[in-house]
């Protein structure tokens, strides 16, 4: 099970804390179950200090937790993360694909994605990653992950600012993530945990 969270600046506040509470809850479960391996990643942007200010802005994929290697203490450190940066969705998902195992007869592989906006990244005046180009690139990244037999559950975390263009957001999020796309209020983030708990029960992973 891989949980990947949008850690961009737009997630700041209630959306981030509700997402984090539920993600840490999943991490806690995984630490106590031998048949559930959980990795948590955060997608954002950062700076490459070895480069000039014009080209230093880079996509950043943070592999923040691995239940096979880390402890509860490591899991709690997620609470220190501060949301910032942009949302290089497809670029990070392409990198993430390397860390998600193929599904097989012996392994069910899942990607749980949580985000709140359009894919966006700008490196300089010469490179801009947004609009339909970024949406289609993200959709291709998702298809590449699905080719490995990975099941994807993707949640768009809504806010009052997204209500004004909700139809457009729904259409574009579904282009990126397909029928697996769901829309959820941050106050109802517990529904994500509930859905996954039902999935674990169905697969006889927990009792």
């Amino acid at each position: 099970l891989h949980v990947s969270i949008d850690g961009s600046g737009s997630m700041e506040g209630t959306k981030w804390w509700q997402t984090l509470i539920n993600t840490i809850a999943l991490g806690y479960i995984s630490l106590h179950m031998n048949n559930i391996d959980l990795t948590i990643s955060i997608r954002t942007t950062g700076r490459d200090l070895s480069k000039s200010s014009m080209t230093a802005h880079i996509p950043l994929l943070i592999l923040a937790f691995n239940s096979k290697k880390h402890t509860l203490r490591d899991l709690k450190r997620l609470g220190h993360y501060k949301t910032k940066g942009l949302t290089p969705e497809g670029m990070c998902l392409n990198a993430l694909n390397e860390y998600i195992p193929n599904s097989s007869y012996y392994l069910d592989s899942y990607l749980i994605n949580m985000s709140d906006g359009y894919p966006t990244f700008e490196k300089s005046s010469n490179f801009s990653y947004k609009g339909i180009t970024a949406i289609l690139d993200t959709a291709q990244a998702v298809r590449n992950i699905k080719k490995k037999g990975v099941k994807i559950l993707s949640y768009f975390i809504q806010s009052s600012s997204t209500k004004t263009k909700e139809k457009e957001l729904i259409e574009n999020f579904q282009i990126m993530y397909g029928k697996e796309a769901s829309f959820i209020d941050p106050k109802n983030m517990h529904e994500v945990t509930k859905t996954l708990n039902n999935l674990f029960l169905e697969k006889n992973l927990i009792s």
Side-chain angles (χ1 to χ4, degrees):
L1 180 64
H2 192 114
V3 177
S4 189
I5 313 170
D6 177 358
S8 64
S10 61
M11 284 285 286
E12 185 178 14
T14 301
K15 287 187 286 187
W16 176 253
W17 289 113
Q18 291 297 326
T19 299
L20 199 61
I21 288 169
N22 283 273
T23 301
I24 290 176
L26 289 171
Y28 183 81
I29 292 171
S30 71
L31 287 171
H32 292 81
M33 302 297 298
N34 293 328
N35 51 359
I36 299 177
D37 294 331
L38 173 68
T39 302
I40 299 170
S41 66
I42 300 172
R43 307 184 308 277
T44 183
T45 54
R47 292 179 64 83
D48 183 344
L49 299 180
S50 68
K51 298 181 179 179
S52 68
S53 59
M54 290 296 292
T55 58
H57 204 204
I58 57 171
L60 189 60
L61 176 67
I62 303 169
L63 297 176
F65 176 79
N66 184 330
S67 64
K68 292 189 290 186
K69 301 177 181 179
H70 295 145
T71 65
L72 181 60
R73 184 178 180 182
D74 298 310
L75 182 64
K76 289 180 177 179
R77 286 177 179 157
L78 288 173
H80 297 297
Y81 179 83
K82 304 297 182 184
T83 53
K84 58 183 178 180
L86 301 176
T87 312
E89 199 89 344
M91 301 168 89
C92 285
L93 288 175
N94 279 321
L96 184 62
N97 194 8
E98 180 182 341
Y99 300 97
I100 301 176
N102 292 31
S103 282
S104 68
Y105 180 80
Y106 301 100
L107 176 70
D108 290 319
S109 188
Y110 290 87
L111 170 62
I112 313 301
N113 170 69
M114 290 181 266
S115 57
D116 78 330
Y118 286 113
T120 305
F121 176 71
E122 291 182 327
K123 190 166 187 176
S124 66
S125 58
N126 297 322
F127 182 82
S128 179
Y129 177 85
K130 58 185 179 181
I132 191 64
T133 299
I135 289 170
L136 293 178
D137 180 64
T138 301
Q140 183 59 54
V142 170
R143 286 195 294 271
N144 289 340
I145 294 173
K146 287 180 179 179
K147 287 178 183 177
K148 299 165 68 173
V150 178
K151 299 176 180 65
I152 299 178
L153 301 174
S154 190
Y155 296 91
F156 183 91
I157 305 167
Q158 296 173 302
S159 66
S160 56
S161 62
T162 62
K163 296 292 185 181
T164 56
K165 47 183 179 180
E166 188 169 15
K167 183 179 179 182
E168 178 185 341
L169 283 167
I170 290 173
E171 290 176 352
N172 286 321
F173 201 66
Q174 288 178 337
I175 289 173
M176 291 187 285
Y177 291 98
K179 58 183 175 59
E180 293 83 4
S182 299
F183 295 78
I184 192 165
D185 187 289
K187 295 177 182 178
N188 296 326
M189 283 300 295
H190 63 278
E191 292 295 332
V192 177
T193 309
K194 184 178 178 181
T195 298
L196 293 175
N197 187 59
N198 289 338
L199 176 66
F200 296 157
L201 288 169
E202 180 184 322
K203 295 291 183 178
N204 295 316
L205 295 178
I206 59 176
S207 59

mmCIF file of all heavy atoms in Angstrom, residues 89-127:
data_model
loop_
_atom_site.group_PDB
_atom_site.id
_atom_site.type_symbol
_atom_site.label_atom_id
_atom_site.label_comp_id
_atom_site.label_asym_id
_atom_site.label_seq_id
_atom_site.Cartn_x
_atom_site.Cartn_y
_atom_site.Cartn_z
ATOM 1 N N GLU A 89 2.347 17.188 -10.171
ATOM 2 C CA GLU A 89 1.656 15.902 -10.024
ATOM 3 C C GLU A 89 2.230 14.782 -10.880
ATOM 4 O O GLU A 89 2.726 13.780 -10.374
ATOM 5 C CB GLU A 89 0.168 16.095 -10.336
ATOM 6 C CG GLU A 89 -0.724 15.017 -9.800
ATOM 7 C CD GLU A 89 -1.208 15.309 -8.380
ATOM 8 O OE1 GLU A 89 -0.628 16.165 -7.726
ATOM 9 O OE2 GLU A 89 -2.156 14.655 -7.945
ATOM 10 N N GLY A 90 2.138 14.944 -12.195
ATOM 11 C CA GLY A 90 2.580 13.882 -13.094
ATOM 12 C C GLY A 90 4.066 13.616 -12.998
ATOM 13 O O GLY A 90 4.513 12.459 -13.087
ATOM 14 N N MET A 91 4.850 14.673 -12.826
ATOM 15 C CA MET A 91 6.301 14.518 -12.733
ATOM 16 C C MET A 91 6.676 13.666 -11.528
ATOM 17 O O MET A 91 7.545 12.789 -11.594
ATOM 18 C CB MET A 91 6.960 15.899 -12.654
ATOM 19 C CG MET A 91 6.641 16.784 -13.849
ATOM 20 S SD MET A 91 7.132 18.500 -13.607
ATOM 21 C CE MET A 91 8.800 18.455 -14.221
ATOM 22 N N CYS A 92 6.019 13.913 -10.399
ATOM 23 C CA CYS A 92 6.286 13.127 -9.187
ATOM 24 C C CYS A 92 5.742 11.707 -9.302
ATOM 25 O O CYS A 92 6.360 10.756 -8.823
ATOM 26 C CB CYS A 92 5.689 13.824 -7.967
ATOM 27 S SG CYS A 92 6.636 15.265 -7.413
ATOM 28 N N LEU A 93 4.572 11.557 -9.944
ATOM 29 C CA LEU A 93 4.000 10.213 -10.102
ATOM 30 C C LEU A 93 4.881 9.347 -11.003
ATOM 31 O O LEU A 93 4.991 8.137 -10.793
ATOM 32 C CB LEU A 93 2.585 10.306 -10.661
ATOM 33 C CG LEU A 93 1.518 10.826 -9.697
ATOM 34 C CD1 LEU A 93 0.184 10.986 -10.409
ATOM 35 C CD2 LEU A 93 1.370 9.900 -8.488
ATOM 36 N N ASN A 94 5.504 9.968 -12.013
ATOM 37 C CA ASN A 94 6.435 9.216 -12.863
ATOM 38 C C ASN A 94 7.605 8.689 -12.043
ATOM 39 O O ASN A 94 8.046 7.548 -12.218
ATOM 40 C CB ASN A 94 6.947 10.111 -14.002
ATOM 41 C CG ASN A 94 5.961 10.196 -15.151
ATOM 42 O OD1 ASN A 94 5.330 9.215 -15.516
ATOM 43 N ND2 ASN A 94 5.816 11.382 -15.738
ATOM 44 N N ALA A 95 8.120 9.522 -11.133
ATOM 45 C CA ALA A 95 9.216 9.097 -10.267
ATOM 46 C C ALA A 95 8.731 8.052 -9.258
ATOM 47 O O ALA A 95 9.432 7.081 -8.953
ATOM 48 C CB ALA A 95 9.802 10.304 -9.544
ATOM 49 N N LEU A 96 7.522 8.245 -8.769
ATOM 50 C CA LEU A 96 6.945 7.351 -7.764
ATOM 51 C C LEU A 96 6.743 5.935 -8.297
ATOM 52 O O LEU A 96 6.844 4.953 -7.546
ATOM 53 C CB LEU A 96 5.611 7.921 -7.295
ATOM 54 C CG LEU A 96 4.869 7.187 -6.174
ATOM 55 C CD1 LEU A 96 5.707 7.184 -4.909
ATOM 56 C CD2 LEU A 96 3.524 7.849 -5.917
ATOM 57 N N ASN A 97 6.484 5.824 -9.583
ATOM 58 C CA ASN A 97 6.224 4.522 -10.212
ATOM 59 C C ASN A 97 7.332 3.517 -9.919
ATOM 60 O O ASN A 97 7.094 2.314 -9.779
ATOM 61 C CB ASN A 97 6.057 4.720 -11.717
ATOM 62 C CG ASN A 97 5.457 3.501 -12.404
ATOM 63 O OD1 ASN A 97 5.028 2.553 -11.757
ATOM 64 N ND2 ASN A 97 5.432 3.522 -13.714
ATOM 65 N N GLU A 98 8.544 4.011 -9.787
ATOM 66 C CA GLU A 98 9.697 3.152 -9.524
ATOM 67 C C GLU A 98 9.606 2.461 -8.163
ATOM 68 O O GLU A 98 10.175 1.393 -7.959
ATOM 69 C CB GLU A 98 10.972 4.004 -9.586
ATOM 70 C CG GLU A 98 12.254 3.250 -9.323
ATOM 71 C CD GLU A 98 13.478 4.154 -9.354
ATOM 72 O OE1 GLU A 98 13.386 5.265 -9.926
ATOM 73 O OE2 GLU A 98 14.513 3.754 -8.802
ATOM 74 N N TYR A 99 8.869 3.072 -7.238
ATOM 75 C CA TYR A 99 8.822 2.565 -5.867
ATOM 76 C C TYR A 99 7.546 1.775 -5.553
ATOM 77 O O TYR A 99 7.368 1.315 -4.438
ATOM 78 C CB TYR A 99 8.949 3.726 -4.883
ATOM 79 C CG TYR A 99 10.242 4.495 -5.051
ATOM 80 C CD1 TYR A 99 10.278 5.673 -5.808
ATOM 81 C CD2 TYR A 99 11.426 4.040 -4.484
ATOM 82 C CE1 TYR A 99 11.460 6.368 -5.973
ATOM 83 C CE2 TYR A 99 12.612 4.720 -4.648
ATOM 84 C CZ TYR A 99 12.636 5.894 -5.398
ATOM 85 O OH TYR A 99 13.810 6.579 -5.575
ATOM 86 N N ILE A 100 6.662 1.650 -6.536
ATOM 87 C CA ILE A 100 5.412 0.910 -6.317
ATOM 88 C C ILE A 100 5.545 -0.475 -6.941
ATOM 89 O O ILE A 100 5.758 -0.596 -8.150
ATOM 90 C CB ILE A 100 4.214 1.655 -6.939
ATOM 91 C CG1 ILE A 100 4.087 3.051 -6.337
ATOM 92 C CG2 ILE A 100 2.927 0.872 -6.709
ATOM 93 C CD1 ILE A 100 2.987 3.890 -6.957
ATOM 94 N N PRO A 101 5.437 -1.535 -6.153
ATOM 95 C CA PRO A 101 5.612 -2.889 -6.700
ATOM 96 C C PRO A 101 4.447 -3.314 -7.595
ATOM 97 O O PRO A 101 3.323 -2.839 -7.440
ATOM 98 C CB PRO A 101 5.670 -3.765 -5.438
ATOM 99 C CG PRO A 101 4.894 -3.000 -4.411
ATOM 100 C CD PRO A 101 5.167 -1.543 -4.701
ATOM 101 N N ASN A 102 4.730 -4.200 -8.529
ATOM 102 C CA ASN A 102 3.692 -4.771 -9.382
ATOM 103 C C ASN A 102 2.753 -5.640 -8.546
ATOM 104 O O ASN A 102 3.177 -6.282 -7.590
ATOM 105 C CB ASN A 102 4.312 -5.645 -10.467
ATOM 106 C CG ASN A 102 5.105 -4.850 -11.482
ATOM 107 O OD1 ASN A 102 5.684 -3.818 -11.172
ATOM 108 N ND2 ASN A 102 5.141 -5.346 -12.702
ATOM 109 N N SER A 103 1.485 -5.656 -8.930
ATOM 110 C CA SER A 103 0.569 -6.626 -8.339
ATOM 111 C C SER A 103 0.881 -8.003 -8.910
ATOM 112 O O SER A 103 1.341 -8.125 -10.051
ATOM 113 C CB SER A 103 -0.885 -6.254 -8.649
ATOM 114 O OG SER A 103 -1.327 -5.214 -7.816
ATOM 115 N N SER A 104 0.631 -9.031 -8.108
ATOM 116 C CA SER A 104 0.869 -10.400 -8.561
ATOM 117 C C SER A 104 -0.100 -11.322 -7.840
ATOM 118 O O SER A 104 -0.961 -10.873 -7.080
ATOM 119 C CB SER A 104 2.310 -10.816 -8.256
ATOM 120 O OG SER A 104 2.502 -10.919 -6.850
ATOM 121 N N TYR A 105 0.035 -12.606 -8.081
ATOM 122 C CA TYR A 105 -0.814 -13.596 -7.400
ATOM 123 C C TYR A 105 -0.632 -13.502 -5.886
ATOM 124 O O TYR A 105 -1.559 -13.724 -5.119
ATOM 125 C CB TYR A 105 -0.448 -14.998 -7.887
ATOM 126 C CG TYR A 105 -1.265 -16.095 -7.235
ATOM 127 C CD1 TYR A 105 -2.557 -16.391 -7.665
ATOM 128 C CD2 TYR A 105 -0.726 -16.834 -6.174
ATOM 129 C CE1 TYR A 105 -3.307 -17.396 -7.060
ATOM 130 C CE2 TYR A 105 -1.464 -17.846 -5.561
ATOM 131 C CZ TYR A 105 -2.753 -18.109 -6.013
ATOM 132 O OH TYR A 105 -3.493 -19.095 -5.411
ATOM 133 N N TYR A 106 0.573 -13.138 -5.474
ATOM 134 C CA TYR A 106 0.903 -13.107 -4.046
ATOM 135 C C TYR A 106 0.799 -11.712 -3.434
ATOM 136 O O TYR A 106 0.922 -11.566 -2.216
ATOM 137 C CB TYR A 106 2.327 -13.631 -3.832
ATOM 138 C CG TYR A 106 2.528 -15.042 -4.323
ATOM 139 C CD1 TYR A 106 3.132 -15.293 -5.548
ATOM 140 C CD2 TYR A 106 2.091 -16.128 -3.556
ATOM 141 C CE1 TYR A 106 3.310 -16.595 -6.005
ATOM 142 C CE2 TYR A 106 2.259 -17.431 -4.006
ATOM 143 C CZ TYR A 106 2.868 -17.660 -5.227
ATOM 144 O OH TYR A 106 3.023 -18.944 -5.668
ATOM 145 N N LEU A 107 0.608 -10.692 -4.262
ATOM 146 C CA LEU A 107 0.653 -9.325 -3.743
ATOM 147 C C LEU A 107 -0.399 -8.443 -4.405
ATOM 148 O O LEU A 107 -0.474 -8.374 -5.640
ATOM 149 C CB LEU A 107 2.041 -8.718 -4.001
ATOM 150 C CG LEU A 107 2.230 -7.254 -3.616
ATOM 151 C CD1 LEU A 107 2.229 -7.103 -2.092
ATOM 152 C CD2 LEU A 107 3.541 -6.709 -4.187
ATOM 153 N N ASP A 108 -1.215 -7.792 -3.591
ATOM 154 C CA ASP A 108 -2.129 -6.762 -4.082
ATOM 155 C C ASP A 108 -1.485 -5.411 -3.834
ATOM 156 O O ASP A 108 -1.199 -5.050 -2.683
ATOM 157 C CB ASP A 108 -3.474 -6.827 -3.339
ATOM 158 C CG ASP A 108 -4.273 -8.061 -3.704
ATOM 159 O OD1 ASP A 108 -4.299 -8.412 -4.901
ATOM 160 O OD2 ASP A 108 -4.876 -8.667 -2.801
ATOM 161 N N SER A 109 -1.235 -4.678 -4.901
ATOM 162 C CA SER A 109 -0.558 -3.387 -4.799
ATOM 163 C C SER A 109 -1.557 -2.251 -5.015
ATOM 164 O O SER A 109 -2.313 -2.254 -5.989
ATOM 165 C CB SER A 109 0.567 -3.308 -5.841
ATOM 166 O OG SER A 109 1.352 -2.161 -5.655
ATOM 167 N N TYR A 110 -1.551 -1.289 -4.091
ATOM 168 C CA TYR A 110 -2.491 -0.165 -4.142
ATOM 169 C C TYR A 110 -1.748 1.165 -4.042
ATOM 170 O O TYR A 110 -0.760 1.281 -3.309
ATOM 171 C CB TYR A 110 -3.486 -0.231 -2.983
ATOM 172 C CG TYR A 110 -4.495 -1.349 -3.082
ATOM 173 C CD1 TYR A 110 -4.203 -2.610 -2.580
ATOM 174 C CD2 TYR A 110 -5.741 -1.147 -3.676
ATOM 175 C CE1 TYR A 110 -5.116 -3.652 -2.660
ATOM 176 C CE2 TYR A 110 -6.666 -2.177 -3.766
ATOM 177 C CZ TYR A 110 -6.344 -3.431 -3.255
ATOM 178 O OH TYR A 110 -7.258 -4.446 -3.342
ATOM 179 N N LEU A 111 -2.266 2.156 -4.756
ATOM 180 C CA LEU A 111 -1.816 3.542 -4.607
ATOM 181 C C LEU A 111 -3.006 4.378 -4.160
ATOM 182 O O LEU A 111 -4.039 4.416 -4.826
ATOM 183 C CB LEU A 111 -1.268 4.099 -5.920
ATOM 184 C CG LEU A 111 -0.997 5.619 -5.941
ATOM 185 C CD1 LEU A 111 0.069 5.993 -4.910
ATOM 186 C CD2 LEU A 111 -0.582 6.085 -7.338
ATOM 187 N N ILE A 112 -2.871 5.036 -3.014
ATOM 188 C CA ILE A 112 -3.889 5.959 -2.517
ATOM 189 C C ILE A 112 -3.347 7.360 -2.714
ATOM 190 O O ILE A 112 -2.318 7.730 -2.139
ATOM 191 C CB ILE A 112 -4.181 5.729 -1.013
ATOM 192 C CG1 ILE A 112 -4.363 4.237 -0.720
ATOM 193 C CG2 ILE A 112 -5.392 6.548 -0.582
ATOM 194 C CD1 ILE A 112 -5.471 3.571 -1.470
ATOM 195 N N ASN A 113 -4.008 8.146 -3.538
ATOM 196 C CA ASN A 113 -3.550 9.502 -3.833
ATOM 197 C C ASN A 113 -4.504 10.521 -3.217
ATOM 198 O O ASN A 113 -5.720 10.388 -3.308
ATOM 199 C CB ASN A 113 -3.498 9.715 -5.352
ATOM 200 C CG ASN A 113 -3.273 11.173 -5.707
ATOM 201 O OD1 ASN A 113 -2.201 11.719 -5.476
ATOM 202 N ND2 ASN A 113 -4.302 11.815 -6.259
ATOM 203 N N MET A 114 -3.925 11.564 -2.591
ATOM 204 C CA MET A 114 -4.734 12.648 -2.028
ATOM 205 C C MET A 114 -4.145 13.984 -2.457
ATOM 206 O O MET A 114 -2.967 14.259 -2.205
ATOM 207 C CB MET A 114 -4.797 12.532 -0.507
ATOM 208 C CG MET A 114 -5.619 11.344 -0.040
ATOM 209 S SD MET A 114 -5.728 11.187 1.754
ATOM 210 C CE MET A 114 -4.371 10.072 2.071
ATOM 211 N N SER A 115 -4.972 14.797 -3.120
ATOM 212 C CA SER A 115 -4.490 16.094 -3.606
ATOM 213 C C SER A 115 -5.649 17.084 -3.674
ATOM 214 O O SER A 115 -6.804 16.727 -3.476
ATOM 215 C CB SER A 115 -3.841 15.935 -4.991
ATOM 216 O OG SER A 115 -4.756 15.366 -5.907
ATOM 217 N N ASP A 116 -5.305 18.333 -3.972
ATOM 218 C CA ASP A 116 -6.354 19.358 -3.918
ATOM 219 C C ASP A 116 -6.329 20.358 -5.073
ATOM 220 O O ASP A 116 -6.978 21.397 -5.009
ATOM 221 C CB ASP A 116 -6.266 20.136 -2.596
ATOM 222 C CG ASP A 116 -5.155 21.182 -2.609
ATOM 223 O OD1 ASP A 116 -4.133 20.983 -3.305
ATOM 224 O OD2 ASP A 116 -5.313 22.209 -1.927
ATOM 225 N N GLY A 117 -5.575 20.067 -6.122
ATOM 226 C CA GLY A 117 -5.548 21.068 -7.189
ATOM 227 C C GLY A 117 -4.976 20.554 -8.487
ATOM 228 O O GLY A 117 -4.685 19.367 -8.655
ATOM 229 N N TYR A 118 -4.798 21.491 -9.416
ATOM 230 C CA TYR A 118 -4.247 21.166 -10.725
ATOM 231 C C TYR A 118 -2.742 20.927 -10.639
ATOM 232 O O TYR A 118 -2.061 21.514 -9.803
ATOM 233 C CB TYR A 118 -4.491 22.318 -11.693
ATOM 234 C CG TYR A 118 -5.909 22.463 -12.173
ATOM 235 C CD1 TYR A 118 -6.667 23.571 -11.815
ATOM 236 C CD2 TYR A 118 -6.477 21.498 -12.987
ATOM 237 C CE1 TYR A 118 -7.975 23.713 -12.259
ATOM 238 C CE2 TYR A 118 -7.781 21.631 -13.439
ATOM 239 C CZ TYR A 118 -8.517 22.748 -13.074
ATOM 240 O OH TYR A 118 -9.808 22.870 -13.515
ATOM 241 N N PRO A 119 -2.206 20.070 -11.526
ATOM 242 C CA PRO A 119 -0.747 19.922 -11.590
ATOM 243 C C PRO A 119 -0.108 21.210 -12.106
ATOM 244 O O PRO A 119 -0.511 21.739 -13.145
ATOM 245 C CB PRO A 119 -0.561 18.760 -12.582
ATOM 246 C CG PRO A 119 -1.818 18.713 -13.386
ATOM 247 C CD PRO A 119 -2.899 19.194 -12.472
ATOM 248 N N THR A 120 0.865 21.707 -11.372
ATOM 249 C CA THR A 120 1.511 22.975 -11.719
ATOM 250 C C THR A 120 2.974 22.954 -11.302
ATOM 251 O O THR A 120 3.312 22.514 -10.202
ATOM 252 C CB THR A 120 0.825 24.159 -10.991
ATOM 253 O OG1 THR A 120 -0.571 24.144 -11.274
ATOM 254 C CG2 THR A 120 1.409 25.484 -11.454
ATOM 255 N N PHE A 121 3.846 23.424 -12.209
ATOM 256 C CA PHE A 121 5.257 23.581 -11.873
ATOM 257 C C PHE A 121 5.885 24.569 -12.847
ATOM 258 O O PHE A 121 5.646 24.504 -14.047
ATOM 259 C CB PHE A 121 5.995 22.242 -11.937
ATOM 260 C CG PHE A 121 7.474 22.353 -11.699
ATOM 261 C CD1 PHE A 121 7.959 22.650 -10.435
ATOM 262 C CD2 PHE A 121 8.383 22.171 -12.730
ATOM 263 C CE1 PHE A 121 9.321 22.759 -10.205
ATOM 264 C CE2 PHE A 121 9.742 22.265 -12.515
ATOM 265 C CZ PHE A 121 10.211 22.565 -11.251
ATOM 266 N N GLU A 122 6.678 25.484 -12.315
ATOM 267 C CA GLU A 122 7.402 26.436 -13.153
ATOM 268 C C GLU A 122 8.842 26.509 -12.688
ATOM 269 O O GLU A 122 9.111 26.726 -11.503
ATOM 270 C CB GLU A 122 6.750 27.824 -13.083
ATOM 271 C CG GLU A 122 5.378 27.878 -13.756
ATOM 272 C CD GLU A 122 4.746 29.267 -13.721
ATOM 273 O OE1 GLU A 122 4.984 29.988 -12.738
ATOM 274 O OE2 GLU A 122 4.045 29.596 -14.682
ATOM 275 N N LYS A 123 9.752 26.316 -13.622
ATOM 276 C CA LYS A 123 11.178 26.327 -13.286
ATOM 277 C C LYS A 123 11.815 27.659 -13.626
ATOM 278 O O LYS A 123 12.664 28.163 -12.920
ATOM 279 C CB LYS A 123 11.893 25.194 -14.018
ATOM 280 C CG LYS A 123 13.315 24.968 -13.556
ATOM 281 C CD LYS A 123 13.834 23.643 -14.057
ATOM 282 C CE LYS A 123 15.198 23.342 -13.448
ATOM 283 N NZ LYS A 123 15.694 22.010 -13.841
ATOM 284 N N SER A 124 11.411 28.225 -14.739
ATOM 285 C CA SER A 124 11.906 29.534 -15.171
ATOM 286 C C SER A 124 10.942 30.036 -16.225
ATOM 287 O O SER A 124 9.925 29.411 -16.517
ATOM 288 C CB SER A 124 13.321 29.412 -15.743
ATOM 289 O OG SER A 124 13.300 28.655 -16.951
ATOM 290 N N SER A 125 11.242 31.160 -16.800
ATOM 291 C CA SER A 125 10.372 31.696 -17.852
ATOM 292 C C SER A 125 10.359 30.800 -19.083
ATOM 293 O O SER A 125 9.477 30.899 -19.934
ATOM 294 C CB SER A 125 10.846 33.103 -18.251
ATOM 295 O OG SER A 125 12.207 33.060 -18.696
ATOM 296 N N ASN A 126 11.315 29.866 -19.154
ATOM 297 C CA ASN A 126 11.420 28.975 -20.312
ATOM 298 C C ASN A 126 10.735 27.627 -20.113
ATOM 299 O O ASN A 126 10.650 26.835 -21.037
ATOM 300 C CB ASN A 126 12.898 28.733 -20.654
ATOM 301 C CG ASN A 126 13.605 30.012 -21.066
ATOM 302 O OD1 ASN A 126 13.026 30.845 -21.742
ATOM 303 N ND2 ASN A 126 14.852 30.154 -20.635
ATOM 304 N N PHE A 127 10.269 27.357 -18.875
ATOM 305 C CA PHE A 127 9.635 26.059 -18.630
ATOM 306 C C PHE A 127 8.419 26.241 -17.728
ATOM 307 O O PHE A 127 8.532 26.697 -16.598
ATOM 308 C CB PHE A 127 10.606 25.077 -17.973
ATOM 309 C CG PHE A 127 10.005 23.714 -17.757
ATOM 310 C CD1 PHE A 127 9.961 22.794 -18.795
ATOM 311 C CD2 PHE A 127 9.460 23.359 -16.532
ATOM 312 C CE1 PHE A 127 9.398 21.541 -18.608
ATOM 313 C CE2 PHE A 127 8.886 22.110 -16.339
ATOM 314 C CZ PHE A 127 8.860 21.194 -17.382
#
